[in-house]
Amino acid sequence: MIPLLVLLEIIILCLGATVFLYRPKMMVSEAICSGIIVALLTLSCLYQTVFLIGVPQLAFIFEAMLVIASVFLIRRRNNYLKQFWRRLVNFWQEHKITCSVVGIAIIYLGLQAIILPPTGPDIKDYHLSRVLLFQQEKSLYLENIVTLRQAIFPVGWNILNHAFLRFHTDYGLGIFPFLIYLSVGCGVYSLCRKLTSQNIAFVSTLVIITMPQVVFQSNSLSNDFPLAGVGIFCFLILYRLYQNINLIDFILLVVGSAFGLSIKLTFVLFLAPFLVFSGYLLFKKHSFGNWFKFLLNHWFWWIALIVPVLIFSQIWLYSYNYNYWGGFSGPPDYVNYFKQADGVKGGVANLFRFLFQSIDLMQPTDIVSQRFLNIQPSNELEKIYRKVIYPLVGDAGMLNNYLNPLKDSPYKFGIEWKFQEIIGWYGWFGFLLSIPSILYTSIKGNRFVKIVSYILICFFLIVSYKLAWSPLRGRYFSIFFVSSGICIAYTLDSLSLWLQDKTKILLKVITITCIITLYSSILMNEDRGILILNRELTRNLSLENVARNMTQNNVWKTTNFGQIRAYQTINQQSKDLIKPQAKIALLASYYDDNYDYILAFPNSEIVPIHASSYSNLDYKYPGLQSELTNYQFSNPLQSNPESFDYLLCLDVKCEKNSEELSFLSPKLIWHFQPSKQGLELPNLPEAQLFELN
């Protein structure tokens, strides 16, 4: 019941923000895009503020005030909602078949987001677990951690999960990325519609919202996809300011940009070229004198914006990082590890690697080609890289594989087309439409579209130069490919002048391909799909094998329609073993899911112990137990052992290396093996619970 109330609150806030921002000449999609982002950034700012002052309970009061204000606005402007509905119905009638087919898929994604438990890379080992630690400590400054990522990264996106996790449940968490998905679709359409016809704008939007990586992230709590939502929001506001200087849009641009900084530090790689080129665009259109008068006439608002901008800027976090960890973004040797360190050569090498990866013809293409032509296009593409590019650049610019015990072992470049968020890319049109359209519009576009192209090209080049390459970087380019929808629309509009009557055929072909891609990405998603394209299936595509695959891998069956949640099983298994209000030391490997174990003990105090404190223990991921070899992490288990009641070891064989823990006199009272409980979940570790003293 509580998750439903939280969902209702979020929907009311989004609707309230939408009707507040809507103006009669504004498109419905434009208002929805802006309303969603404004509602989310308002919640994020509120949660960050109450945690920073150490009283998170205050959020309830302010949320109630926001809900009441939103309900008042909705009732007062219910005629706007009626207009929205009429326009949506009219749009559906003009594109009845396509809207119905795509709408069913979007509704399905929404159900997945609300019902299914959270999954995906990095989600449970730090994106969610850090929020539970924030709640326990009533602070955003963490000292006791399992992994540095829980402490040093921006919190603006992760903190939204507090809306649900404060009630010790994760039902409904997926609503946030799903709202970003809706915002992206609405934002891309409204921008495209300002530049071209309704049909071309609609098809261009379909290209974006059906890209495999975009579909995967519509349910993912990772903080990469929200950057795409904020990026589209910024472009939308920029277009409005380009047309007319006004106070509301300028405030939205400032706060929206700051919100992006609070989500992930890599937003800087987009914001830097965005500020340069958008500044040029706006000063060129409206002149420096007009902007000076505008800023001077509204000086009060710039003072009022100081507090939210400072909160979103994360300057408070970076100051803490510098004082506690030795660097603004965290410990310098840890941060530098992820940077590209081979200069221009490494940047050029990464540029080629990312371009090769962007050629994503998707897994079924490999399967069909292998079956009928006995070749795999992805392998052939990789061979071209090996013969042409690798002799020139070698391993320059590559990230060392931190999952490899050998610390100086770089990743091996490879091209693998899979329906999987962690290594997936953007499908056929990511390479065939997005990149060519950006290049075309950088030369032939109008002034606004050229600026968009320049920003995206600079972003791609900066990412290639600044970040070391790994096969997991596909999500970083969400903002690039999502924003390319503007360029695609302009390019298709230019093509229509040349193709004339054949334009309809082209748009139908693109639409059909988009729909196939959308349903393939949903149904074959390895994290949340129904049919997984594993080796057994690809070798034998018989109906019997397909049926068996769907029975074994159907996410609705494996989760019992979302009812099987690891933390609930853990709680049921161990609740009689742990006394109330217990204090538990948590020792885990670097990459383990510690979230489910923290959430499973809501009435206990969980104190994470960084693995480097006991470097000689037998860890599941050797070489990872010390993210830093020259840093002494806080270890209250050593400094104050008598205050602890239990020791919980996750994928750490504590009983076999008891000499380091012998002073605690640990007594094993519980051994939890997920596989024996039917919990075959990625990164869910085995657990050993020891009673101390």
Side-chain angles (χ1 to χ4, degrees):
M1 184 63 184
I2 288 178
L4 292 177
L5 292 176
V6 177
L7 286 170
L8 181 62
E9 173 197 348
I10 293 167
I11 293 170
I12 289 173
L13 292 178
C14 289
L15 283 175
T18 299
V19 297
F20 173 74
L21 296 171
Y22 179 72
R23 298 294 178 268
K25 293 183 179 180
M26 187 181 289
M27 286 186 287
V28 174
S29 56
E30 194 173 351
I32 294 173
C33 171
S34 302
I36 289 173
I37 297 298
V38 167
L40 294 183
L41 71 83
T42 302
L43 267 184
S44 177
C45 186
L46 171 59
Y47 291 157
Q48 290 184 69
T49 302
V50 296
F51 272 98
L52 285 172
I53 63 177
V55 192
Q57 296 86 349
L58 281 177
F60 289 109
I61 298 173
F62 289 104
E63 284 176 82
M65 294 169 62
L66 288 171
V67 169
I68 291 170
S70 297
V71 171
F72 174 77
L73 277 171
I74 292 168
R75 292 190 63 182
R76 188 173 181 180
R77 301 185 178 183
N78 61 359
N79 58 314
Y80 287 172
L81 294 179
K82 293 176 182 177
Q83 290 181 33
F84 293 176
W85 180 251
R86 283 196 297 269
R87 291 189 189 182
L88 290 173
V89 169
N90 290 338
F91 185 87
W92 178 80
Q93 289 176 341
E94 292 179 23
H95 306 276
K96 193 175 295 184
I97 296 176
T98 304
C99 282
S100 299
V101 174
V102 174
I104 291 170
I106 292 175
I107 292 171
Y108 178 82
L109 286 173
L111 291 173
Q112 279 193 323
I114 294 169
I115 297 173
L116 295 179
T119 57
D122 305 329
I123 301 305
K124 291 188 173 184
D125 56 326
Y126 82 95
H127 280 300
L128 293 179
S129 60
R130 70 190 309 217
V131 179
L132 296 177
L133 296 176
F134 293 155
Q135 292 175 174
Q136 178 179 276
E137 302 299 322
K138 297 182 179 180
S139 171
L140 299 179
Y141 303 117
L142 299 179
E143 296 182 10
N144 299 313
I145 53 174
V146 170
T147 167
L148 276 166
R149 299 174 298 174
Q150 292 173 329
I152 64 176
F153 290 162
V155 305
W157 177 252
N158 295 151
I159 199 66
L160 288 171
N161 298 308
H162 172 64
F164 294 90
L165 293 179
R166 59 187 164 180
F167 300 110
H168 311 297
T169 180
D170 60 10
Y171 282 94
L173 281 179
I175 190 64
F176 296 119
F178 182 69
L179 285 172
I180 293 292
Y181 182 73
L182 296 179
S183 177
V184 160
C186 291
V188 170
Y189 176 78
S190 57
L191 277 166
C192 294
R193 186 66 184 90
K194 293 175 185 296
L195 303 170
T196 186
S197 67
Q198 186 184 90
N199 285 340
I200 290 177
F202 184 42
V203 171
S204 301
T205 304
L206 285 180
V207 170
I208 300 304
I209 66 172
T210 61
M211 287 179 171
Q213 186 61 255
V214 173
V215 175
F216 302 152
Q217 292 190 83
S218 69
N219 275 197
S220 170
L221 293 168
S222 170
N223 57 356
D224 295 291
F225 190 49
L227 296 184
V230 174
I232 283 295
F233 175 75
C234 288
F235 279 127
L236 188 59
I237 303 302
L238 175 63
Y239 185 88
R240 296 210 294 254
L241 285 172
Y242 178 62
Q243 298 300 316
N244 177 45
I245 300 176
N246 65 90
L247 178 62
I248 291 179
D249 284 335
F250 192 83
I251 290 174
L252 290 177
L253 185 61
V254 171
V255 178
S257 300
F259 180 46
L261 292 174
S262 77
I263 294 173
K264 191 169 185 176
L265 187 56
T266 52
F267 188 71
V268 172
L269 307 182
F270 168 81
L271 190 60
F274 179 84
L275 291 177
V276 171
F277 286 106
S278 63
Y280 169 80
L281 180 73
L282 295 177
F283 283 124
K284 187 79 172 176
K285 177 69 181 289
H286 301 296
S287 83
F288 179 83
N290 287 335
W291 277 108
F292 182 77
K293 290 178 183 177
F294 170 77
L295 295 174
L296 195 63
N297 291 337
H298 299 95
W299 62 269
F300 172 78
W301 287 100
W302 316 141
I303 296 175
L305 285 175
I306 290 175
V307 172
V309 168
L310 283 177
I311 291 172
F312 280 137
S313 72
Q314 309 292 282
I315 192 170
W316 49 269
L317 176 64
Y318 299 134
S319 299
Y320 175 76
N321 285 345
Y322 183 81
N323 291 326
Y324 194 84
W325 302 106
F328 288 108
S329 301
D333 52 348
Y334 179 77
V335 174
N336 292 336
Y337 173 78
F338 296 97
K339 293 181 180 179
Q340 194 275 117
D342 295 311
V344 174
K345 182 180 180 181
V348 172
N350 287 343
L351 177 63
F352 279 110
R353 292 182 188 118
F354 290 134
L355 287 174
F356 268 81
Q357 283 185 293
S358 71
I359 306 174
D360 177 19
L361 305 185
M362 303 195 304
Q363 197 171 358
T365 304
D366 261 350
I367 294 171
V368 173
S369 298
Q370 181 67 44
R371 188 175 182 86
F372 294 104
L373 303 176
N374 199 32
I375 61 168
Q376 282 191 325
S378 62
N379 288 344
E380 300 305 312
L381 194 62
E382 187 175 330
K383 288 178 184 177
I384 294 174
Y385 171 85
R386 293 287 170 198
K387 291 180 180 179
V388 178
I389 305 299
Y390 186 77
L392 301 175
V393 300
D395 292 328
M398 299 188 85
L399 180 72
N400 286 343
N401 186 354
Y402 61 84
L403 291 179
N404 193 319
L406 303 175
K407 290 189 176 181
D408 294 324
S409 173
Y411 276 108
K412 178 182 178 182
F413 179 80
I415 295 175
E416 194 171 7
W417 298 337
K418 277 196 169 186
F419 289 111
Q420 190 177 24
E421 179 193 344
I422 193 169
I423 60 172
W425 274 69
Y426 297 86
W428 285 77
F429 291 138
F431 180 76
L432 296 179
L433 275 180
S434 290
I435 293 177
S437 295
I438 291 171
L439 295 175
Y440 171 78
T441 53
S442 69
I443 301 170
K444 296 292 186 179
N446 62 31
R447 183 178 291 177
F448 178 78
V449 177
K450 276 185 177 179
I451 290 297
V452 173
S453 303
Y454 297 157
I455 292 170
L456 297 181
I457 290 170
C458 287
F459 172 76
F460 200 105
L461 294 175
I462 294 171
V463 171
S464 300
Y465 181 77
K466 295 297 290 183
L467 301 181
W469 181 90
S470 90
L472 318 180
R473 296 284 193 226
R475 293 173 297 167
Y476 284 54
F477 291 92
S478 296
I479 197 169
F480 175 86
F481 286 98
V482 164
S483 301
S484 71
I486 307 164
C487 305
I488 291 172
Y490 191 92
T491 303
L492 290 177
D493 190 60
S494 301
L495 274 175
S496 68
L497 299 176
W498 179 61
L499 294 174
Q500 295 182 352
D501 294 340
K502 295 179 182 178
T503 303
K504 289 184 178 180
I505 298 174
L506 174 64
L507 295 182
K508 285 183 179 179
V509 170
I510 293 175
T511 299
I512 292 170
T513 306
C514 286
I515 290 172
I516 293 172
T517 302
L518 174 62
Y519 276 87
S520 299
S521 301
I522 291 173
L523 300 177
M524 300 178 192
N525 182 353
E526 292 193 16
D527 297 315
R528 303 170 82 86
I530 292 175
L531 179 68
I532 308 302
L533 298 178
N534 53 28
R535 289 186 179 181
E536 182 184 354
L537 180 64
T538 55
R539 289 173 181 172
N540 181 9
L541 285 171
S542 65
L543 289 176
E544 181 182 354
N545 222 9
V546 170
R548 185 185 305 112
N549 185 291
M550 293 180 69
T551 301
Q552 294 174 348
N553 299 303
N554 188 331
V555 68
W556 296 102
K557 180 182 179 182
T558 56
T559 64
N560 192 21
F561 290 89
Q563 294 185 61
I564 297 178
R565 278 168 145 77
Y567 73 90
Q568 293 177 340
T569 303
I570 295 167
N571 178 268
Q572 292 168 3
Q573 292 276 328
S574 61
K575 62 182 179 181
D576 295 331
L577 300 172
I578 298 178
K579 63 185 180 182
Q581 308 302 317
K583 188 173 183 179
I584 305 173
L586 174 67
L587 187 61
S589 285
Y590 175 89
Y591 201 61
D592 278 325
D593 167 12
N594 53 86
Y595 156 78
D596 281 302
Y597 287 94
I598 299 175
L599 188 58
F601 307 118
N603 298 319
S604 300
E605 180 184 356
I606 306 292
V607 181
I609 307 296
H610 194 271
S612 64
S613 301
Y614 300 102
S615 57
N616 293 325
L617 295 184
D618 187 2
Y619 292 88
K620 181 178 180 180
Y621 299 106
L624 290 184
Q625 62 269 30
S626 57
E627 293 168 297
L628 297 168
T629 56
N630 60 351
Y631 189 86
Q632 187 64 43
F633 286 85
S634 171
N635 184 0
L637 186 60
Q638 282 184 338
S639 59
N640 191 19
E642 63 276 3
S643 66
F644 288 89
D645 302 298
Y646 302 95
L647 170 64
L648 181 62
C649 296
L650 307 183
D651 271 343
V652 183
K653 298 177 180 178
C654 295
E655 84 283 8
K656 293 186 178 181
N657 298 270
S658 57
E659 62 274 5
E660 282 201 272
L661 303 169
S662 58
F663 72 98
L664 297 168
S665 303
K667 176 185 176 184
L668 181 64
I669 59 173
W670 181 57
H671 185 193
F672 181 75
Q673 296 175 287
S675 59
K676 293 185 178 180
Q677 302 296 326
L679 294 174
E680 300 286 353
L681 301 176
N683 303 325
L684 182 64
E686 290 189 15
Q688 295 172 307
L689 182 66
F690 296 87
E691 188 174 21
L692 303 180
N693 302 322

